[in-house]
Amino acid sequence: MQAPSPVPWHTLSAEDALRRAGSSTQGLNENEAAARLLRDGPNTLKGSQRQSVWSMFLQQLQNVLMLTLLAAAVLSFILGHTLEAVAISVIVVFAVILGFLQEFRAERAIRALAEMAPPLAKVRRGGKEFLIPAEEIVSGDVLMLSAGDRVPADGRLLFSAVLQLEESSLTGESLPSDKDAGAVVALDAATGDQSTMVFAGTTVSAGRGEAVTVATGMQTRFGGIAALLGGVAGVRTPLQDHLDRIGTILARSALLIVALLVIAGFFRGQPFLEMLVFGIALAVAVVPEALPAVVTISLALGVQRMAKRNALMRSLPAVETLGSTTVICSDKTGTLTRDEMTVRVVHTSGVNVAVSGTGYEPSGTFSLDGDTGMPPSLHSLLTAAMLCNDARLEKNDEKGWYVAGDPTEGALLVLGRKGGLDELELRRQHPRLDELPFSPELRRMLTQHSFQGKMRLFMKGAPETVLAACSEVLLSEGSASLDASMRRELLEVADAFAGRAMRVLALAEKWDGEISGSVSGMTFLGFAAMIDPPRPEAAEAVRRCRSAGIRPLLITGDHPATARAIAGELGMAGEGDVVTGRMLEEMDEEDLSRAVQSASVFARVSPEHKLRIVEALQLHGEVVAMTGDGVNDAPALKRADIGISMGITGTDVAKEASDMMLTDDNFVSIVDAVEEGRGIYENIKKYLSYLLSSNMGELGLMVAATLTGLPLPLSAVQILYVNLATDGLPALALAVDPPESDTMLRRPRKRDAGVFSRAMVALLLGGGIWSAVVNMSLFLYALDSGRPLREAMSMTFASLVLIQFFKAYAFRSQRKSMFSRPFANRWLNLAILWELGLLAVIFVVPVFHEPFGIYPLSREDWLLVALVSLTVIPVLELVKFLVRRGVISGYS
Ligand code: ATP
């Protein structure tokens, strides 16, 4: 391989860099790009290791409990209980396989999530712009960068417009650094000073730029660092931590009880080694070692379900938080509205010009009331609208006419075309010489073009911003000075459009103007008012929010009247008035705190206001979900309990700061995700209470027998069987239970409420204690009636297993009767059928009798066992009745 040229890229001119990279300003052609991809490999970082299937399997075997159990099997074998030893070993294998499958499933689900949203990058190839997966970028590709983008590869700038990059991941410097394609950079400049270069892993904080790719993948500066770093550490959720702690406490108490039982048994004259085997079996059975894996699985599976409903979770803890969300702060454009803009009216020279046509198809006509001709200012307005514009209007067979870029700007292109202008022609004749890109804080955009040797400046933006920069107005008779009353009238015109739910953009121009931070002396050309209809399904989603005790807030950069009108259409407008960004700035903490409680609509809000709103809401104990798409939304997204970014229109920076990304940018998906989040949490609770209740029933039975001086009612193998075979599958099925129909009719769960609500504890105790009482009574009765111990034990075993089955169905809800949609969980039905089959085999096939200590039961005994175990149903129904009645409160 040829050694790389010694001249560093940052000292080359843009032309030389292009030449060396074998490219041009038009970019590579597709064939060349494909060939380079094959030659250089994908633009990805290596180094994140995957756990192999084998190591996951072996990890299961390293589980202390499993090892102890194997030791118990060996002990049994030494003691001469060969069949028992085999049974224990088979159960171990079963448990290891189940454990492995759980871990494997969880790991795969989580990995699939990571691969679900590959980063995209904008490149120019063969003169056309494409959005491609960042990993397909090759050296020579021309990258198109704008505010909020993550730079996908190292590149030499070809063009820059007030471009600033945040390079802290490389240089540690958190202030953005200025970039300039035309700068001359010293040979020995440090990375942070190479202002002609952009580097992979950094982000664009402002402006626009284009760069030719000079290094990809591990060849980039970031690749060099990434190689040192290795994989990403797994994040644990608060619930997982909480359950880990509960698991440890339970394990310790269970082990203590078991130890006491073993010692008691020993003093009562049972052989020590046999008691030890029993003790180990009991310990393994009651220690909830599958807990963490099951929680991960239900989280991960839930996350997959959410993905199907267009919400990609970027962090597992957020899944839990989602369920307790109390406020959803949503922006308007695209989330609650369709983001399909159509200009309906143009106001220029004091007249309203109506525009016909729908969507982005550039066919439609202009019409005026009365018979006056079109005002001459219209032409200037359309020219400004098309030149001060970065969007492109395109058409294909699949989508018809569509906009590449900002829909607001797309609508202005359509408007210009309806007026007979052609933006491509205009852009060719009057190329852009300078620009100030749009920013949501300043709400305006400026461009500079040459017209017959003269400079002409165009501005477009929010009416009040543009009017503030104007001192003249273009009228039919020529330009006139813009006095205060005229300015007020114009603002009223804009307000009236906004009051009809329209978004209003103002346009202005200035001959011989230069671009600077504070532009003034411009000439006002007019307004373009466009509709952006609400999404049809959004009103229903707003209603669902309300019935679920969640307050939806509209927070938008748009005009207050537009915001209020849309909020009204969606049923979001609350009691309070619309609060504007300017009002927010004047409020102290107390006023703000009051405002966020009463107002539902915030307009003309800048990203930094969003941060204040989140903080004020959080001070009231609200759990806040907040949407955002721009680079400056990142702090608010990070601060919110659930930061939500837009998958389609969002910037990379916003996506990275968020916990959840909407693949369809739709408000409805947020509400769906909350519903899933609630369901997931409920399911984990169902699983947990079933498991604990079972263990309590079994331990209670053993303790009662020991305390009353009776023989042990279950053998080691039986107890292992009940826990590892009988309980395992139904418990897992509960973890994937379909959500209850009233999930979105309850108030949000309190975040700090913990998993153990009173209702849950009541159900858990009721089931556990009743199971112990019933089985103990049955055992006593069987012994009393003169049945041999083995028969009494078999009856107790059968009754315990059946009680577990009934409990599994009952634990599907803490509140509703088990007879409402009893068989809705397909997995639970299958699990129970399979378990019933197994039980039948154990009782019917003689080979299993010895190892499982089975005595074949008579028909009468079965009837008795069935009747006795059925009693658990009314007991649990009673508990639920008390919960519904509010006697047992604290239901969440
Ligand atoms: P949100 O998405 O937060 O509901 P939005 O998309 O309406 O609101 P921004 O994009 O921040 O909010 O726009 C704020 C204001 O800036 C708009 O009301 C409009 O007046 C102006 N504006 C929007 N897009 C452009 C643009 N491309 N060029 C110039 N001005 C614009």
Side-chain angles (χ1 to χ4, degrees):
M1 217 171 113
Q2 197 188 334
S5 157
V7 184
W9 289 98
H10 65 268
T11 58
L12 289 182
S13 69
E15 294 73 37
D16 287 346
L18 272 175
R19 207 167 310 122
R20 177 167 357 143
S23 188
S24 75
T25 47
Q26 298 302 300
L28 302 170
N29 67 39
E30 280 298 330
N31 292 342
E32 179 61 21
R36 291 188 186 196
L37 186 61
L38 218 60
R39 184 192 69 193
D40 300 340
N43 175 34
T44 47
L45 301 181
K46 300 187 190 77
S48 67
Q49 307 149 355
R50 287 183 171 192
Q51 207 183 3
S52 79
V53 174
W54 267 113
S55 75
M56 272 164 75
F57 194 77
L58 289 178
Q59 230 169 35
Q60 291 297 319
L61 279 177
Q62 281 161 15
N63 182 327
V64 180
L65 288 166
M66 289 302 143
L67 291 180
T68 332
L69 205 51
L70 278 180
V74 175
L75 262 179
S76 301
F77 185 74
I78 296 170
L79 293 174
H81 306 309
T82 320
L83 286 175
E84 191 183 63
V86 173
I88 295 181
S89 312
V90 170
I91 288 173
V92 171
V93 171
F94 184 78
V96 165
I97 291 177
L98 200 67
F100 164 73
L101 287 179
Q102 287 170 12
E103 289 275 341
F104 185 67
R105 185 88 219 246
E107 155 95 17
R108 240 194 14 199
I110 288 177
R111 190 176 316 145
L113 289 180
E115 288 163 7
M116 238 180 248
L120 298 175
K122 206 181 206 185
V123 295
R124 186 182 299 126
R125 283 186 180 169
K128 283 192 144 185
E129 287 165 25
F130 296 96
L131 210 53
I132 62 168
E135 62 175 53
E136 289 175 16
I137 287 176
V138 292
S139 54
D141 261 332
V142 174
L143 306 172
M144 326 273 300
L145 301 168
S146 54
D149 286 350
R150 175 163 284 273
V151 180
D154 288 0
R156 165 65 167 90
L157 280 170
L158 304 174
F159 152 82
S160 62
V162 288
L163 184 66
Q164 288 189 326
L165 265 79
E166 203 268 310
E167 299 184 317
S168 60
S169 59
L170 273 186
T171 61
E173 171 58 56
S174 58
L175 285 180
S177 39
D178 291 321
K179 296 286 172 178
D180 182 359
V184 179
V185 179
L187 187 68
D188 58 353
T191 305
D193 299 327
Q194 295 181 5
S195 54
T196 51
M197 299 290 292
V198 293
F199 299 107
T202 65
T203 51
V204 183
S205 30
R208 288 198 312 131
E210 288 178 22
V212 57
T213 306
V214 301
T216 59
M218 294 305 281
Q219 307 305 318
T220 60
R221 298 270 164 96
F222 194 63
I225 297 178
L228 303 175
L229 291 177
V232 188
V235 187
R236 299 186 57 73
T237 77
L239 180 63
Q240 281 175 325
D241 283 341
H242 186 59
L243 292 184
D244 272 358
R245 279 197 302 279
I246 295 178
T248 318
I249 296 172
L250 289 175
R252 289 204 184 132
S253 1
L255 288 178
L256 187 71
I257 298 176
V258 168
L260 290 177
L261 281 182
V262 170
I263 294 169
F266 177 65
F267 279 114
R268 277 176 31 215
Q270 311 262 13
F272 179 70
L273 282 181
E274 286 193 11
M275 267 325 277
L276 192 63
V277 172
F278 175 78
I280 293 174
L282 190 56
V284 170
V286 295
V287 171
E289 80 279 0
L291 201 64
V294 171
V295 174
T296 313
I297 291 198
S298 28
L299 286 173
L301 289 182
V303 166
Q304 281 178 345
R305 276 201 306 277
M306 287 183 181
K308 287 207 187 94
R309 298 173 81 176
N310 301 316
L312 294 190
M313 298 307 297
R314 301 191 66 254
S315 86
L316 276 190
V319 180
E320 285 166 36
T321 319
L322 256 183
S324 46
T325 303
T326 58
V327 178
I328 300 178
C329 302
S330 170
D331 49 23
K332 172 181 69 70
T333 311
T335 319
L336 287 162
T337 65
R338 290 163 45 167
D339 213 2
E340 286 165 12
M341 311 266 179
T342 316
V343 177
R344 280 267 172 266
V345 193
V346 172
H347 179 89
T348 183
S349 294
V351 293
N352 282 346
V353 181
V355 186
S356 71
T358 50
Y360 292 124
E361 185 175 338
S363 56
T365 50
F366 291 173
S367 56
L368 267 175
D369 282 345
D371 51 4
T372 43
M374 288 293 161
S377 56
L378 183 64
H379 188 267
S380 296
L381 181 140
L382 297 182
T383 309
M386 287 189 125
L387 283 176
C388 189
N389 194 317
D390 290 319
R392 281 174 299 122
L393 201 56
E394 301 198 342
K395 185 184 181 184
N396 67 17
D397 292 343
E398 190 192 333
K399 294 197 254 181
W401 286 98
Y402 68 96
V403 170
D406 180 357
T408 305
E409 300 192 342
L412 293 175
L413 292 185
V414 175
L415 172 74
R417 289 216 196 171
K418 286 176 183 169
L421 300 186
D422 176 356
E423 77 276 13
L424 300 177
E425 189 54 34
L426 274 176
R427 287 173 184 174
R428 206 169 20 249
Q429 283 180 6
H430 311 288
R432 193 181 287 182
L433 302 173
D434 199 0
E435 65 181 300
L436 261 184
F438 169 72
S439 84
E441 288 85 2
L442 301 173
R443 301 193 189 95
R444 53 130 170 82
M445 166 174 176
L446 283 153
T447 55
Q448 186 191 45
H449 308 260
S450 103
F451 274 75
Q452 290 99 38
K454 281 213 235 167
M455 291 299 169
R456 193 173 178 188
L457 209 59
F458 293 120
M459 179 192 257
K460 87 173 189 306
E464 64 277 20
T465 315
V466 173
L467 278 167
C470 291
S471 53
E472 302 210 341
V473 51
L474 193 61
L475 300 170
S476 296
E477 26 331 324
S479 54
S481 103
L482 182 68
D483 58 25
S485 76
M486 207 166 191
R487 196 185 301 265
R488 220 175 15 251
E489 271 168 35
L490 283 170
L491 282 174
E492 276 164 19
V493 170
D495 281 359
F497 287 136
R500 287 156 58 196
M502 289 201 264
R503 153 179 288 229
V504 193
L505 282 192
L507 294 134
E509 68 174 6
K510 182 178 182 180
W511 286 91
D512 292 327
E514 285 295 323
I515 290 203
S516 71
S518 56
V519 203
S520 59
M522 300 208 59
T523 304
F524 180 74
L525 299 173
F527 296 125
M530 51 190 83
I531 52 157
D532 177 19
R535 289 180 180 268
E537 65 280 23
E540 164 65 16
V542 167
R543 256 212 353 265
R544 271 169 69 211
C545 269
R546 291 204 192 283
S547 59
I550 301 169
R551 196 153 68 94
L553 298 187
L554 176 64
I555 301 189
T556 175
D558 217 336
H559 194 287
T562 317
R564 182 182 312 159
I566 294 280
E569 283 181 35
L570 292 173
M572 278 177 98
E575 304 291 293
D577 277 335
V578 175
V579 177
T580 63
R582 170 131 350 129
M583 287 156 77
L584 278 178
E585 269 162 23
E586 284 160 11
M587 285 181 187
D588 59 18
E589 295 310 310
E590 219 166 281
D591 293 340
L592 180 66
S593 156
R594 227 167 300 131
V596 295
Q597 274 181 302
S598 60
S600 299
V601 183
F602 295 79
R604 283 289 187 247
V605 162
S606 304
E608 67 267 27
H609 299 140
K610 284 188 172 181
L611 184 62
R612 278 190 75 198
I613 296 175
V614 173
E615 286 173 346
L617 284 165
Q618 284 173 334
L619 273 182
H620 283 290
E622 306 280 11
V623 178
V624 186
M626 157 85 80
T627 65
D629 47 14
V631 53
N632 299 333
D633 287 332
L637 291 181
K638 278 199 187 128
R639 180 62 210 240
D641 300 279
I642 305 283
I644 304 169
S645 61
M646 302 296 142
I648 304 172
T649 56
T651 56
D652 296 344
V653 171
K655 287 177 190 166
E656 280 166 28
S658 67
D659 304 294
M660 173 170 129
M661 187 176 105
L662 303 181
T663 50
D664 60 351
D665 291 12
N666 190 339
F667 180 76
V668 176
S669 309
I670 306 177
V671 186
D672 287 348
V674 170
E675 181 174 10
E676 287 290 350
R678 289 186 175 191
I680 293 170
Y681 199 84
E682 285 301 311
N683 283 352
I684 292 175
K685 276 168 69 168
K686 292 176 200 173
Y687 164 84
L688 187 66
S689 42
Y690 174 69
L691 198 79
L692 294 185
S693 178
S694 312
N695 290 351
M696 183 177 292
E698 288 146 32
L699 263 186
L701 175 64
M702 293 301 170
V703 171
T706 309
L707 289 181
T708 48
L710 287 175
L712 291 173
L714 296 171
S715 72
V717 174
Q718 284 169 348
I719 201 115
L720 272 180
Y721 176 85
V722 172
N723 266 278
L724 300 179
T726 302
D727 293 351
L729 290 180
L732 272 183
L734 281 180
V736 292
D737 204 39
E740 291 177 53
S741 53
D742 61 351
T743 309
M744 291 299 269
L745 296 177
R746 305 176 198 152
R747 298 208 48 77
R749 162 176 59 85
K750 292 235 165 45
R751 185 173 22 188
D752 48 5
V755 256
F756 293 104
S757 60
R758 274 195 213 143
M760 173 170 160
V761 174
L763 207 62
L764 187 162
L765 286 179
I769 294 174
W770 188 253
S771 160
V773 168
V774 162
N775 288 324
M776 186 65 197
S777 315
L778 183 66
F779 185 57
L780 264 177
Y781 161 79
L783 286 180
D784 248 17
S785 64
R787 287 173 168 86
L789 175 62
R790 187 151 166 180
E791 189 176 354
M793 285 172 77
S794 294
M795 284 171 78
T796 317
F797 171 63
S799 152
L800 179 62
V801 172
L802 292 186
I803 285 182
Q804 289 305 99
F805 293 166
F806 296 134
K807 269 169 52 176
Y809 281 102
F811 275 70
R812 288 192 51 233
S813 171
Q814 292 171 28
R815 194 180 164 86
K816 280 203 215 142
S817 159
M818 76 180 258
F819 299 107
S820 82
R821 296 167 64 229
F823 301 116
N825 184 340
R826 187 160 60 96
W827 293 111
L828 184 59
N829 302 338
L830 286 177
I832 298 289
L833 277 180
W834 158 254
E835 303 288 355
L836 276 174
L838 272 189
L839 188 69
V841 167
I842 291 175
F843 269 92
V844 172
V845 183
V847 238
F848 292 107
H849 290 174
E850 197 47 43
F852 283 89
I854 295 298
Y855 184 97
L857 300 183
S858 68
R859 206 168 295 164
E860 290 73 32
D861 277 358
W862 270 118
L863 192 65
L864 181 65
V865 164
L867 283 177
V868 161
S869 47
L870 270 174
T871 57
V872 75
I873 296 178
V875 170
L876 293 177
E877 287 294 317
L878 177 68
V879 175
K880 292 185 189 187
F881 175 75
L882 296 178
V883 170
R884 283 198 299 271
R885 274 301 166 98
V887 180
I888 301 172
S889 61
Y891 169 76
S892 61

